[in-house]
Amino acid sequence: MAKNRPASGQVRIISGQWRSRRLPIQDLEGLRPTTDRVRETLFNWLAGDLAGARVLDCFGGSGALFFESLSRYASYGKAFELQASAAEQLKKNLQTLKCDPATAEVVKGDTLKLLAVAPSEGFDIVYIDPPFRKGLAEKSIQLIDENSWLNENAQVYVETESEQAQLQVPANWVQLKEKKAGQVIYRLYQYQP
């Protein structure tokens, strides 16, 4: 369906305070915004848990998951992004939305290096949606677990290429949901310390 594809160079916020807002995104190699259909499913899964949550987007990219979470009243959001132009666009989009700088932050840097350092405060919802076919999902999962990024009962969303049928996760991550859509497989886990 054509309506599930974002128009070239932009991402649409589905719901919340910024519903239907369209934000520009960088046209960069490997940048693939999560489709509207997948996002609708994900945010239905998270519906009762987003308001007031601390959210981490490990691979900011287009900001689709980051901005959707903030639109749905997450109390704080942080996004990591390696590519300088994409990180700058995320920051500009925060300004466009007049987002309080105390509630949202974009950090330009290598996600694996950033996750290797324990945070001062944990997160309630974490998104791991890395560039495909680079082995970044499992490395991120390992670092998040080793360095105490998760609050008790935190939920972790992982989106990978569909051929990665098996995913190594810590024993105390309970899989809540799994779905496949086209070339992606996406899963939701809950951390139980």
Side-chain angles (χ1 to χ4, degrees):
M1 284 190 224
K3 72 176 188 174
N4 287 335
R5 288 204 171 91
S8 177
Q10 61 183 7
V11 67
R12 179 179 70 90
I13 297 174
I14 298 169
S15 188
Q17 62 183 325
W18 302 317
R19 180 182 184 169
S20 299
R21 289 289 299 268
R22 293 181 184 275
L23 299 170
I25 61 173
Q26 294 289 310
D27 184 21
L28 299 169
E29 186 180 340
L31 189 70
R32 37 157 206 86
T34 301
T35 65
D36 283 7
R37 191 175 95 204
V38 171
R39 273 190 294 141
E40 283 173 10
T41 301
L42 166 62
F43 286 100
N44 284 338
W45 291 349
L46 296 174
D49 302 308
L50 265 168
R54 287 177 49 81
V55 174
L56 173 66
D57 190 343
C58 294
F59 298 89
S62 69
L65 302 177
F66 178 61
F67 293 120
E68 192 72 41
S69 298
L70 291 169
S71 181
R72 294 175 189 232
Y73 304 101
S75 65
Y76 175 78
K78 180 180 275 195
F80 296 154
E81 177 50 49
L82 178 61
Q83 299 183 71
S85 59
E88 278 309 305
Q89 187 65 62
L90 292 173
K91 291 175 183 178
K92 285 179 190 169
N93 288 344
L94 283 174
Q95 292 172 346
T96 298
L97 294 169
K98 297 178 174 44
C99 188
D100 180 350
T103 64
E105 179 182 9
V106 175
V107 179
K108 190 230 167 276
D110 182 320
T111 295
L112 298 182
K113 290 179 181 171
L114 293 165
L115 291 175
V117 179
S120 56
E121 194 174 340
F123 290 85
D124 305 303
I125 296 173
V126 175
Y127 302 113
I128 302 171
D129 180 11
F132 284 176
R133 298 172 187 87
K134 296 186 182 207
L136 295 170
E138 289 184 338
K139 289 176 188 168
S140 300
I141 288 167
Q142 182 181 356
L143 289 166
I144 285 167
D145 189 57
E146 288 173 358
N147 296 300
S148 305
W149 283 85
L150 302 176
N151 289 333
E152 188 172 344
N153 297 318
Q155 294 181 76
V156 183
Y157 171 78
V158 184
E159 185 175 318
T160 61
E161 58 276 19
S162 57
E163 62 263 26
Q164 187 168 1
Q166 298 299 313
L167 197 60
Q168 294 290 347
V169 299
N172 58 351
W173 287 28
V174 177
Q175 184 172 315
L176 302 176
K177 306 275 187 180
E178 178 178 316
K179 243 180 153 171
K180 186 178 176 193
Q183 297 180 8
V184 302
I185 187 165
Y186 52 108
R187 303 169 176 102
L188 187 65
Y189 298 91
Q190 185 166 46
Y191 168 65
Q192 297 181 341

